[in-house]
Amino acid sequence: QVQLVESGGGLVQTGGSLRLSCAASGRTFSSYAMGWFRQAPGKEREFVASINWNGGSKYYADSVKGRFTISRDNAKNTVYLQMNSLKPEDTAVYYCATDEKTYTPWEFTNWGTRFHDYWGQGTQVTVSS
């Protein structure tokens, strides 16, 4: 079993920045791709960003591209989401996710659309206007 715990959310004004962290514990594998999703009230959960096992490949939703940066530190079993130039529409609960699967480079391009085995509890991000 893999446990994921998000942290770093909070309240920030438009244009501000936050850095989210997702710490993994329990059974972990360096080959795991990881990523972030978010869900706003009354909205469907949406993909935000993903990163492959060694950080060499990254994908972002169009809505956050150029503003958010995903990174990972495998030695610390942690993935990060640096969020800059935040907008009110970024307000949501942010979840990190991973699964017990090895992704080929082609498969990883679709990581954001796949079912994932492990999810964190979420961390609230609120951007005020």
Side-chain angles (χ1 to χ4, degrees):
Q1 187 73 240
V2 176
Q3 293 82 237
L4 303 175
V5 179
E6 303 96 334
S7 62
L11 175 64
V12 65
Q13 292 186 334
T14 297
S17 298
L18 286 172
R19 188 194 190 208
L20 306 184
S21 298
C22 176
S25 62
R27 189 176 181 182
T28 61
F29 299 91
S30 62
S31 60
Y32 283 4
M34 300 184 71
W36 293 89
F37 292 79
R38 67 186 183 185
Q39 188 166 23
K43 299 293 191 297
E44 185 177 337
R45 181 177 295 179
E46 65 175 346
F47 167 73
V48 176
S50 60
I51 186 167
N52 77 335
W53 70 277
N54 68 356
S57 296
K58 303 174 183 179
Y59 289 93
Y60 299 93
D62 289 341
S63 59
V64 306
K65 191 174 297 183
R67 300 187 298 120
F68 291 10
T69 302
I70 189 170
S71 61
R72 68 189 298 161
D73 186 340
N74 285 345
K76 297 181 179 180
N77 294 315
T78 301
V79 64
Y80 305 95
L81 185 68
Q82 178 66 47
M83 307 186 295
N84 298 327
S85 301
L86 284 163
K87 306 174 181 179
E89 52 262 44
D90 295 319
T91 295
V93 177
Y94 285 70
Y95 301 89
C96 63
T98 190
D99 45 23
E100 294 181 283
K101 183 184 188 300
T102 299
Y103 287 82
T104 66
W106 184 86
E107 289 176 323
F108 179 68
T109 65
N110 296 316
W111 187 93
T113 68
R114 293 186 58 87
F115 170 82
H116 302 291
D117 296 327
Y118 304 108
W119 295 82
Q121 84 291 341
T123 185
Q124 176 71 48
V125 172
T126 302
V127 185
S128 64
S129 59

